[in-house]
Every structure is written in C-alpha cells, then in structure tokens.
Amino acid sequence: MENMNFGQAIEALKEGKKVARKGWNGKGMYLWLLPEAKIKKEWCRDPYLLECFGDENELLCLGSIRMFTHDSTGRKAVLTGWLASQSDMLSNDWYIVA
C-alpha cells in the first residue's frame, strides 16, 4: 500500500509490517515495531538495565518503534525509540516496505 497517512502507517506497524516515507533522504531507511516482551535478567549485559530488575528475574520491556538508518559515517545503524517529526505526522507519502 502506498500514499498512506501517519495513522495508517502506525496501523501497519502494529500488524508487523515495515514502513517508510518517500520523502526521507536516506535510501533503505524504514521503521518497525519491536513489541513488548518479558526479558530475563540472565540475558542482560547492560548494568543500567540490570538495575531495573531489582530483586525480580524478569522485566517487562514495552514496545518501541525502531528505525533502520545510517550513522554520520554512513554505516548501517538501528535507532531505538524513533520519534516522528511534525512533517512525518502530517505526510501522506508513507508506504509498506516489502
């Protein structure tokens, strides 16, 4: 589906699809939704995340929108917790990435 509005793009993310905008400068950029999940303390290596567990062995991680993009040097990168700009929210050039 092409020429979707932002609401339709969000619905597509919730259905497990990848979405992008025609107006984005970077080639190959897209978004996907990482759904919420329970993670086990033993899987974690990040000391700040480990602090969040407290005495529990599992922690609920809420869902987040992620972006496949490129960093300032051109290397492939993943941005966790992507936020929409005003132009992203008002655009009708969203499409589902195959």
Side-chain angles (χ1 to χ4, degrees):
M1 181 179 216
E2 291 194 15
N3 298 320
M4 297 185 302
N5 64 38
F6 186 60
Q8 292 168 313
I10 294 294
E11 288 304 314
L13 287 173
K14 290 179 180 179
E15 293 170 3
K17 297 180 172 106
K18 298 183 290 188
V19 299
R21 282 195 53 214
K22 292 178 189 170
W24 282 343
N25 295 334
K27 299 295 181 210
M29 295 168 53
Y30 60 85
L31 305 177
W32 78 94
L33 177 66
L34 182 68
E36 76 174 37
K38 284 190 178 179
I39 60 169
K40 296 188 180 291
K41 192 174 195 175
E42 62 200 51
W43 299 343
C44 295
R45 302 291 177 262
D46 181 321
Y48 296 117
L49 183 55
L50 284 168
E51 287 178 12
C52 297
F53 282 88
D55 294 333
E56 302 293 322
N57 289 320
E58 287 187 342
L59 181 67
L60 178 64
C61 289
L62 301 175
S64 62
I65 296 174
R66 300 201 170 188
M67 174 186 254
F68 176 74
T69 187
H70 297 85
D71 70 9
S72 60
T73 67
R75 292 181 302 177
K76 294 177 182 178
V78 173
L79 173 65
T80 300
W82 173 84
L83 295 173
S85 69
Q86 292 287 317
S87 60
D88 289 327
M89 291 185 275
L90 297 173
S91 292
N92 292 312
D93 65 349
W94 287 94
Y95 65 95
I96 294 173
V97 176

